[in-house]
Amino acid sequence: MQAPSAGPLAGLKVLELGQLIAGPFAAKTLADFGAEVVKVEPPGAGDPLRQWRLLKDGTSVWWQVQSRNKRSVALDLKEPAAQDIVRRLAAEADVLIENFRPGALEGWGLGPDTLLERNPRLVVLRVSGYGQTGPYRDRPGFGVVAEAMGGLRHLTAEPGRVPVRVGVSIGDTLAALHGVIGILLALQERQASGRGQVVDVALYESVFNCMESLLPEYSAFGVVRQPAGSAMPGIAPTNAYRCSDGGYALVAGNGDSIFRRLMNVIGRADLGADPGLASNTGRVARVEEIDGAIGEWAARHTVDEVLAALDAAKVPAGRIYTVADIAADPHYRARGMIQEVALDDGSRLDVPGVVPKLSRTPGGHRRNAPALGQDTDAVLREVGLTPEQITALRERGVVG
């Protein structure tokens, strides 16, 4: 694998105090592009993500993605001596990321006001379920709850059936990406003002920000959008169609010219030429008729046959991938989205590649995810502690 460039964020110092998903995902994204990320974890168990889902030699393989390119320092943040170390680290950092419940940092004497007084250039990302203000700020907030409050969960169902969860922690990830955007905006502004600021990201707001026309439709028409299964309400045709081999083909024929090509492929040129179906408005009014025609055609062909015919006609279509399909797909490989890394024990592991892709200064995998406290001594020496002081702190359980 080609060695990655230093990255566009080389030299940016990031202090990560969060755990699990949202905060660490934001820090991982910065680290992928060259930021120097120091991750603070509690001694003993470390970040709970180390033990989530499937484990290899006692550590989650997810950890190898979420914490790549980071250094690990084990500190007990409930100890005043550890809090002092964090203040030292924050004084030299460009960015601090945390996703504790609102008020936790302040309880440890590490609130933004305190840290910004010592380092006015610091950008502080705070990710929480409901934000740092408002009547719900003190409620515990996880991604699944945010997805529901943000409006997403209501829509992810077949009509009349229980809403289901998206199969990944999408609320946390959306919040993390909004956090990264906020950090970069604050860093840009800092170039002019010389001052840092707080970036307040709420999980539910990050989900809600992606809900497209949900609110204005309700405001203008009183319409409460309802679950629609695999279809997209108000946009036609776009759906999943069962094929003769039992699989499903996803077909998005909702562009005007695309719709005409699609109808020609399925042998329904009459529908393609129907002036009442020339625009999306007309197609939405007759979506059941259109879906029926496409479904009847798809049912006579295998998924491969359907996709081959639609690809030849330049109609957007695809199959529903499992991870086995992803791992075998040549396009994923060609784009560098599946990267094989060598773990510290010499074994190999496939991990997702880095996005977005920059032409001159791309991100990359420079370092494997650290063992718990792997970099404690080195980082503490960098902020001025002597070996004797570090040993004394370790004996007291302050550091690990």
Side-chain angles (χ1 to χ4, degrees):
M1 185 171 62
Q2 184 179 2
S5 70
L9 300 181
L12 188 76
K13 293 184 177 181
V14 178
L15 180 60
E16 179 197 314
L17 302 184
Q19 59 183 15
L20 294 177
I21 304 175
F25 190 100
K28 184 267 291 190
T29 304
L30 299 176
D32 281 349
F33 288 93
E36 301 169 15
V37 176
V38 172
K39 177 178 179 62
V40 174
E41 305 181 69
D47 188 324
L49 192 85
R50 290 179 176 273
Q51 299 299 311
W52 275 26
R53 299 194 61 79
L54 300 185
L55 310 184
K56 183 180 186 296
D57 299 327
T59 301
S60 170
V61 291
W62 188 358
W63 179 254
Q64 298 298 333
V65 179
Q66 190 82 317
S67 294
R68 65 190 180 196
N69 299 322
K70 300 179 184 180
R71 296 199 287 172
S72 171
V73 174
L75 294 175
D76 184 353
L77 293 181
K78 297 181 179 65
E79 293 287 338
Q83 296 161 8
D84 182 64
I85 291 170
V86 169
R87 283 188 282 269
R88 292 194 192 198
L89 291 168
E92 298 182 4
D94 295 290
V95 176
L96 183 144
I97 295 173
E98 66 99 2
N99 63 331
F100 298 112
R101 194 182 300 187
L105 282 191
E106 286 81 356
W108 295 327
L110 301 173
D113 290 348
T114 300
L115 301 181
L116 284 164
E117 183 177 354
R118 188 167 180 175
N119 178 5
R121 293 176 55 81
L122 183 66
V123 172
V124 181
L125 170 61
R126 312 194 75 177
V127 183
S128 61
Y130 303 96
Q132 301 298 314
T133 61
Y136 300 166
R137 75 179 291 271
D138 294 323
R139 291 183 180 179
F142 270 34
V144 60
V145 179
E147 291 157 23
M149 184 176 176
L152 178 63
R153 184 71 170 257
H154 177 66
L155 299 181
T156 52
E158 294 287 343
R161 303 190 66 179
V162 61
V164 298
R165 183 178 185 177
V166 175
V168 293
S169 304
I170 192 69
D172 292 283
T173 305
L174 288 173
L177 294 175
H178 280 84
V180 170
I181 294 169
I183 287 170
L184 298 179
L185 292 171
L187 291 174
Q188 172 69 18
E189 193 279 336
R190 192 180 73 173
Q191 293 185 10
S193 69
R195 300 169 58 197
Q197 59 183 298
V198 176
V199 179
D200 179 1
V201 171
L203 270 66
Y204 85 94
E205 291 170 355
S206 300
V207 174
F208 180 60
N209 192 39
C210 299
M211 296 310 293
E212 300 176 350
S213 61
L214 201 69
L215 180 60
E217 288 173 352
Y218 176 72
S219 177
F221 307 109
V223 171
V224 177
R225 190 185 303 180
Q226 298 299 319
S230 62
M232 178 62 76
I235 303 174
T238 177
N239 214 327
Y241 303 92
R242 189 174 178 87
C243 300
S244 63
D245 55 1
Y248 288 86
L250 298 174
V251 182
N254 44 284
D256 295 346
S257 60
I258 294 173
F259 173 73
R260 291 192 294 273
R261 295 198 298 272
L262 171 59
M263 292 301 101
N264 288 336
V265 169
I266 71 171
R268 293 300 305 270
D270 59 313
L271 294 178
D274 188 330
L277 301 178
S279 69
N280 183 67
T281 301
R283 293 193 295 270
V284 168
R286 294 167 59 184
V287 65
E288 292 184 6
E289 177 186 1
I290 296 169
D291 274 344
I294 301 171
E296 182 181 342
W297 171 76
R300 300 195 302 268
H301 303 278
T302 66
V303 172
D304 285 343
E305 291 169 345
V306 167
L307 297 184
L310 296 181
D311 185 56
K314 298 190 182 327
V315 173
R319 68 180 69 247
I320 299 173
Y321 275 46
T322 67
V323 70
D325 296 318
I326 290 172
D329 191 285
H331 192 80
Y332 269 86
R333 299 276 176 180
R335 294 276 297 170
M337 286 312 301
I338 298 176
Q339 295 186 353
E340 184 184 73
V341 298
L343 302 183
D344 294 341
D345 64 2
S347 63
R348 315 292 291 189
L349 184 71
D350 282 349
V351 297
V354 176
V355 292
K357 300 187 181 304
L358 278 64
S359 61
R360 286 194 303 103
T361 56
H365 184 116
R366 291 175 298 280
R367 171 186 165 122
N368 288 338
L372 177 59
Q374 176 179 324
D375 307 287
T376 299
D377 288 18
V379 171
L380 296 190
R381 287 196 300 269
E382 290 169 10
V383 293
L385 274 69
T386 66
E388 293 77 18
Q389 289 173 315
I390 296 171
T391 299
L393 290 171
R394 182 167 285 115
E395 291 173 349
R396 291 164 48 197
V398 176
V399 306

